[in-house]
Amino acid sequence: MPVQLLKEVEDEVTRFLSALIRINTTNPPGNETAAAKYLAENLSSEGFKCELFESAPARGSVITRLKGTGEKPSLLLLSHLDVVAADPEEWSVDPFAGVVKDGFVWGRGALDMKGMTAVEVMVLKLLKRNGVELKGNVVLAATADEEQGGLSGADYLLRNYPEMIFAPYVLNEGGGLAVPTRSGNVFTVQTAEKGILWFKVKAKGTPGHGSMPNVADNAIMHMNKLVEKLGNYRSRVALVPTVKRFLEEIAREDAALQEPFSRLLANPEFADDVLDELAKTSPQLAEEIRPRLRMTITPTIISGGVKENVIPSECETVFDCRILPGQESTQTIALIKALLDEVDSEKLVFEGLQVQEPSESTAETPLYDTISAVLREFEPNCGVTPMLTTGGTDSRFFRRKGSVCYGFQPMHPEEASSGKVVKREHGIDERISIENLVFGTSVLYETVKKFMT
Ligand SMILES: [Zn+2]
């Protein structure tokens, strides 16, 4: 018998998410404790024992669990409670009112990621209400600080309370959204994420009068050359296992992509030619793939100069560099320094700002197989693919400790206009459809039940 959508949870999961959005957890400062307490009260009323952890005043995370027999490894349902800022002036509704209208729950965090927190809480309650006999612990953690790097949330908990939060398997944000193709939906499972290397370069010159450009040594002119060099730098293409499999799975569902993707897979060094061609018909897909094939360097902040008529002796630029799994930050830094030397070794000074190593989990696990099987119970003809995200999530802390982590918030694309998938995470009028809350709960519940019994 085909599995059914859990229509009966619609009201409960909608109300919970709406209430969670009303607790403003904009980070900074975060104030996640209020949200953690709300979650704890909701679960306590159903007999769950919840524990609150504060890394600093008001920076709370909450953890609870359903005990299993110990025959199977534990599974952690992870989410973060903080959100990025929202400017009410730009929105068509109050971003912190938890508005429910037109079949959507509106507000900051609806997608990233209070929507998934609501789904995970619902799944936990259903497992308990339905008396599902678990063979392993199902742990739920809703944490602080993800949007500012996670050091005061997931990383803090993993460092100080590993016995409470560590699990060999983790489900988190980052994937789950289906990619529409010509022959149907391909659901994504985030199995890998790029690493972050933020750095600053200072250009040094000598000051002088703005009317005498040849006498002084203008730092902006040195920086100009460097921005040109790094901004246009094309590193070697590297096909990591997740991206290779992603291209194969998408091509399997879309006949028109079989020829170009097999060319790309056979000759990664010609990837840019293949993607330039693809961009003529599917620009969004081409630009989604491009940064997943190589390390990227993007200038994001530049400052220099103090006065109209003074030639500046200093200019600074911040770069956002993203590296692929398998690439190491130390090697990347050496490469960047070599590029600096090519421009001007005397005048340019490198300074590292932040490093987050890339991470990847294999898709060859029983959890991945369970996810695929459950999705096909709901949609017999759908595809499933591992995916690499260009941005980072808290999963990296767990992958570093050896957990298999998947980003999996099962969702259908919400508004497909002109074949484009609209992304509203961190954007204006962020919202999630009630249909997707029910779909997400249903798929996640079946996945956990199947995996843990
Ligand atoms: Zn997030």
Side-chain angles (χ1 to χ4, degrees), residues 158-186:
L158 210 40
R159 269 185 288 113
N160 294 288
Y161 307 97
E163 71 290 355
M164 295 296 301
I165 195 169
F166 177 82
Y169 289 97
V170 180
L171 291 175
N172 185 26
E173 66 178 336
L177 180 64
V179 180
T181 70
R182 263 165 266 244
S183 68
N185 285 322
V186 181

Coordinates of all heavy atoms in Angstrom, one line a residue, residues 158-186:
L158 N 29.1 20.2 21.0 CA 29.9 19.0 20.6 C 31.2 19.0 21.4 O 31.7 17.9 21.7 CB 30.1 19.1 19.1 CG 30.3 17.8 18.3 CD1 29.4 16.7 18.7 CD2 30.2 18.0 16.8
R159 N 31.7 20.1 21.7 CA 33.0 20.2 22.4 C 32.7 19.9 23.9 O 33.5 19.2 24.6 CB 33.6 21.6 22.3 CG 34.6 21.7 21.1 CD 35.4 23.0 21.1 NE 34.5 24.1 20.6 CZ 34.1 25.1 21.4 NH1 34.6 25.2 22.6 NH2 33.3 26.0 20.9
N160 N 31.6 20.4 24.5 CA 31.4 20.3 25.9 C 30.5 19.2 26.4 O 30.6 18.7 27.5 CB 30.9 21.7 26.5 CG 31.9 22.8 26.3 OD1 32.9 22.8 27.0 ND2 31.7 23.7 25.4
Y161 N 29.5 18.8 25.5 CA 28.6 17.8 25.9 C 28.4 16.7 24.8 O 27.3 16.5 24.3 CB 27.2 18.4 26.2 CG 27.3 19.5 27.2 CD1 27.3 20.8 26.8 CD2 27.3 19.2 28.6 CE1 27.4 21.9 27.8 CE2 27.3 20.2 29.5 CZ 27.4 21.6 29.1 OH 27.5 22.6 30.0
P162 N 29.6 16.2 24.3 CA 29.5 15.2 23.2 C 28.5 14.0 23.5 O 27.8 13.5 22.7 CB 30.9 14.7 23.0 CG 31.6 15.1 24.3 CD 30.9 16.3 24.8
E163 N 28.5 13.6 24.8 CA 27.7 12.5 25.2 C 26.2 12.8 25.0 O 25.3 11.9 24.9 CB 28.0 12.0 26.6 CG 27.5 12.9 27.7 CD 28.3 14.2 27.9 OE1 29.3 14.5 27.1 OE2 27.9 15.1 28.7
M164 N 25.8 14.1 25.0 CA 24.4 14.5 24.8 C 24.0 14.6 23.4 O 22.9 14.3 23.0 CB 24.2 15.9 25.5 CG 24.3 15.9 27.0 SD 23.1 14.9 27.8 CE 21.6 15.6 27.2
I165 N 25.0 15.0 22.5 CA 24.6 15.4 21.2 C 25.2 14.6 20.1 O 24.6 14.4 19.0 CB 24.9 16.9 20.9 CG1 24.1 17.4 19.7 CG2 26.4 17.2 20.9 CD1 24.1 18.9 19.5
F166 N 26.3 14.0 20.3 CA 27.0 13.2 19.2 C 26.1 12.0 18.8 O 25.5 11.3 19.6 CB 28.4 12.7 19.6 CG 29.0 11.9 18.4 CD1 29.6 12.5 17.4 CD2 28.8 10.5 18.4 CE1 30.1 11.8 16.3 CE2 29.3 9.8 17.4 CZ 30.0 10.4 16.3
A167 N 26.0 11.8 17.5 CA 25.4 10.6 16.9 C 26.1 10.2 15.6 O 26.5 11.1 14.9 CB 23.9 10.9 16.7
P168 N 26.2 8.9 15.4 CA 26.8 8.5 14.1 C 26.1 9.0 12.9 O 26.7 9.1 11.8 CB 26.8 7.0 14.2 CG 26.6 6.7 15.7 CD 25.8 7.8 16.2
Y169 N 24.8 9.2 13.0 CA 24.0 9.7 11.8 C 23.3 11.0 12.2 O 22.7 11.1 13.3 CB 22.9 8.7 11.4 CG 23.5 7.4 10.8 CD1 23.8 6.3 11.5 CD2 23.9 7.4 9.4 CE1 24.3 5.1 10.9 CE2 24.4 6.3 8.8 CZ 24.6 5.2 9.6 OH 25.2 4.1 9.0
V170 N 23.3 11.9 11.3 CA 22.7 13.3 11.5 C 21.9 13.7 10.3 O 22.3 13.6 9.2 CB 23.8 14.3 11.8 CG1 23.2 15.7 12.0 CG2 24.7 13.9 12.9
L171 N 20.7 14.2 10.6 CA 19.9 14.9 9.6 C 19.8 16.3 9.9 O 19.5 16.7 11.0 CB 18.5 14.2 9.4 CG 18.5 12.8 8.9 CD1 17.0 12.2 8.9 CD2 19.0 12.7 7.5
N172 N 20.1 17.2 8.9 CA 20.2 18.6 9.1 C 19.7 19.4 7.9 O 19.1 18.8 7.0 CB 21.6 18.9 9.5 CG 21.9 20.4 9.8 OD1 21.0 21.1 10.4 ND2 23.1 20.8 9.6
E173 N 19.9 20.7 7.9 CA 19.5 21.5 6.7 C 20.5 21.3 5.6 O 21.5 20.7 5.7 CB 19.4 23.0 7.1 CG 20.8 23.5 7.5 CD 20.8 25.0 7.8 OE1 19.9 25.7 7.4 OE2 21.8 25.4 8.5
G174 N 20.2 22.0 4.5 CA 21.1 22.0 3.4 C 20.7 21.3 2.1 O 21.1 21.6 1.0
G175 N 19.7 20.4 2.2 CA 19.3 19.7 1.0 C 17.8 19.3 1.2 O 17.1 19.7 2.1
G176 N 17.3 18.4 0.3 CA 15.9 18.0 0.4 C 15.0 18.6 -0.6 O 14.0 18.0 -1.0
L177 N 15.4 19.8 -1.1 CA 14.5 20.4 -2.1 C 14.7 19.7 -3.4 O 15.8 19.4 -3.9 CB 15.0 21.9 -2.2 CG 14.2 22.7 -3.3 CD1 12.8 22.9 -2.9 CD2 14.9 24.1 -3.4
A178 N 13.5 19.4 -4.0 CA 13.6 18.7 -5.3 C 13.9 19.6 -6.5 O 13.5 20.8 -6.5 CB 12.2 18.1 -5.6
V179 N 14.7 19.1 -7.4 CA 15.1 19.8 -8.6 C 14.1 19.3 -9.7 O 14.1 18.1 -9.9 CB 16.5 19.5 -9.1 CG1 16.8 20.3 -10.3 CG2 17.5 19.8 -8.0
P180 N 13.3 20.2 -10.2 CA 12.4 19.8 -11.3 C 13.1 19.5 -12.6 O 14.0 20.3 -13.0 CB 11.4 20.9 -11.5 CG 12.0 22.1 -10.8 CD 13.2 21.7 -10.0
T181 N 12.9 18.3 -13.2 CA 13.6 18.1 -14.5 C 12.4 17.7 -15.5 O 11.3 17.5 -15.1 CB 14.6 16.9 -14.4 OG1 13.8 15.7 -14.2 CG2 15.6 17.1 -13.3
R182 N 12.8 17.4 -16.7 CA 11.8 17.1 -17.8 C 11.0 15.8 -17.4 O 9.9 15.7 -17.8 CB 12.5 16.9 -19.1 CG 12.4 18.2 -20.0 CD 13.4 18.1 -21.1 NE 14.7 18.8 -20.7 CZ 15.1 19.9 -21.3 NH1 14.5 20.4 -22.3 NH2 16.3 20.5 -20.9
S183 N 11.7 14.9 -16.7 CA 10.9 13.7 -16.4 C 10.5 13.5 -15.0 O 10.1 12.5 -14.5 CB 11.7 12.4 -16.8 OG 12.8 12.3 -16.0
G184 N 10.5 14.6 -14.2 CA 10.0 14.6 -12.9 C 11.0 15.2 -11.9 O 12.1 15.7 -12.2
N185 N 10.6 15.0 -10.6 CA 11.4 15.6 -9.5 C 12.7 14.8 -9.2 O 12.6 13.6 -9.1 CB 10.6 15.8 -8.2 CG 9.6 16.9 -8.3 OD1 9.9 18.0 -8.9 ND2 8.4 16.7 -7.8
V186 N 13.8 15.5 -9.0 CA 15.0 14.8 -8.4 C 15.2 15.4 -7.0 O 15.5 16.6 -6.9 CB 16.2 15.0 -9.3 CG1 17.4 14.2 -8.7 CG2 16.0 14.5 -10.7

